[in-house]
Amino acid sequence: MRRRDLLSLPAGLLALPLESGESETPRFPRPVRMLFGGDVMLSRHVGRVATQQKDPAWPFREIAPVLCSADLSFVNLESPFSDRGRRTERGMVFKAEPEMIEGLKLAGITAVSTANNHCRDCGSYGLEFTIDWLGRNGIVPVGTGKDAASAHAGAILEREGTRFGLLAYTYDQRNGNHTSDDDRVAMLNLEEAAADVRAMKQRADVVIVSMHAGTEYRSKPNADQIRFARGVIDAGATLVIGHHPHVVQPVEVYKAGVIFYSLGNFVFDQSHREDTQHGLLAEVTFDGPRLIRHQALPIDIRGTVPRLAASPRVKKAAAAAT
């Protein structure tokens, strides 16, 4: 059984229109379906609950069949892995225990963004350990690297004969813990990112950009998000996947591309605000290099565990975002 046959999901809430004269008949072996989730934090209360359940994959148990149904799945990994030091139980400096990678593996996560404001929470050792640990477990990290060149080079994943190039950037990497930047983390610099996109277009058929940016708990994108997201599409990207605000923000069709400004939380322990307990899965479908459909699948988070939302109110909010 193919992974995409494990679960049938509803038809698109909003599809990109076909250009005049084009046929819906696939020109490639079959369409490629992708799922993108928001912030995943495997430390603090999330790690504590998994320990109590004696199951490091616990947070992903319910949502795993959904993610495994896709040809490619991607999330923002908000907590670095490290095998040094005590478990992190509280605070804003995150450290995920190595065994917590079992959830990402159970869900069949293909790639993750490691470019975010928490990527250096475990120092230089944690940044490198995370890259190595993901690779050893078959998951592709994007946005950080062993050197600056690899952080900006991104990764290419081929599906059904189409090469999909992934790049990732963050507005901040210090998180109040460092006084200078590490060039092994790709920053939200439009000029540099646009150059990366153009270089990636020479190697890949489609470019997808992960954007860690925005104002926390704001339901609308700020000027920096809009400028960066539209700018990388102008440079040749097709899709921009945003996260960091911890709440859902709108979806925009811009020229020939689509911008999900913020998917909100996916696996997280924030409960101080009701809107941080809802998120979106971005579902996109490509026919070869052509984006033919996108939609937002609403997510509810209860007790650190995400699931497809059953609430009509949340579904209505997701539809409104598109």
Side-chain angles (χ1 to χ4, degrees), residues 42 77 79-83 96-98 100-101 104 126 129-130 133-134:
L42 302 176
L77 181 62
S79 50
F81 291 103
S82 179
D83 60 354
E97 298 301 313
M100 292 298 291
I101 203 168
L104 300 176
F129 181 89
T130 298
W133 189 235
L134 289 165

Side-chain angles (χ1 to χ4, degrees), residues 60-292:
F60 291 89
R61 286 287 170 192
E62 290 195 36
I63 204 70
V66 178
L67 294 169
C68 286
S69 71
D71 297 297
L72 186 153
S73 54
F74 181 99
V75 298
N76 172 55
L77 181 62
E78 192 81 31
S79 50
F81 291 103
S82 179
D83 60 354
R84 292 182 178 176
R86 297 180 179 179
R87 289 179 177 268
T88 297
E89 296 287 337
R90 60 182 61 84
M92 295 302 296
V93 177
F94 302 150
K95 177 179 81 78
E97 298 301 313
E99 64 267 19
M100 292 298 291
I101 203 168
E102 293 301 322
L104 300 176
K105 292 167 63 178
L106 175 72
I109 299 296
T110 313
V112 300
S113 169
T114 47
N116 52 64
N117 55 305
H118 289 278
C119 66
R120 296 171 66 198
D121 279 5
C122 295
S124 179
Y125 176 81
L127 188 147
E128 293 191 10
F129 181 89
T130 298
I131 294 170
D132 290 338
W133 189 235
L134 289 165
R136 287 170 58 185
N137 284 275
I139 300 169
V140 177
V142 186
T144 62
K146 295 298 181 70
D147 53 36
S150 58
H152 285 266
I156 297 175
L157 300 174
E158 186 171 330
R159 295 292 185 274
E160 300 298 324
T162 300
R163 297 164 301 171
F164 295 93
L166 304 175
L167 295 165
Y169 303 90
T170 178
Y171 81 103
D172 174 62
Q173 57 164 279
R174 302 183 189 185
N175 197 32
N177 306 320
H178 305 277
T179 58
S180 61
D181 287 341
D182 187 326
D183 66 4
R184 296 174 298 173
V185 181
M187 296 297 292
L188 205 76
N189 178 298
L190 178 54
E191 183 177 349
E192 293 180 355
D196 294 344
V197 170
R198 289 190 290 268
M200 180 65 84
K201 284 287 287 183
Q202 301 300 311
R203 302 184 291 137
D205 304 302
V206 176
V207 179
I208 298 170
V209 174
S210 171
M211 173 182 70
H212 197 72
T215 306
E216 289 187 334
Y217 315 123
R218 295 288 180 88
S219 61
K220 301 293 184 183
N222 63 30
D224 289 339
Q225 285 171 278
I226 295 171
R227 176 176 173 271
F228 182 85
R230 292 179 178 177
V232 292
I233 288 180
D234 288 338
T238 299
L239 188 65
V240 177
I241 301 296
H243 31 77
H244 172 66
H246 300 294
V247 297
V248 169
Q249 292 183 346
V251 182
E252 177 185 27
V253 176
Y254 175 72
K255 296 185 178 179
V258 177
I259 303 165
F260 290 82
Y261 278 105
S262 175
L263 298 177
N265 286 334
F266 190 57
V267 173
F268 226 101
D269 62 358
Q270 289 180 319
S271 58
H272 64 295
R273 294 172 57 108
E274 195 271 343
D275 53 357
T276 62
Q277 298 175 63
H278 305 296
L280 298 175
L281 269 179
E283 181 185 39
V284 298
T285 305
F286 285 88
D287 175 20
R290 189 168 62 103
L291 177 59
I292 60 172

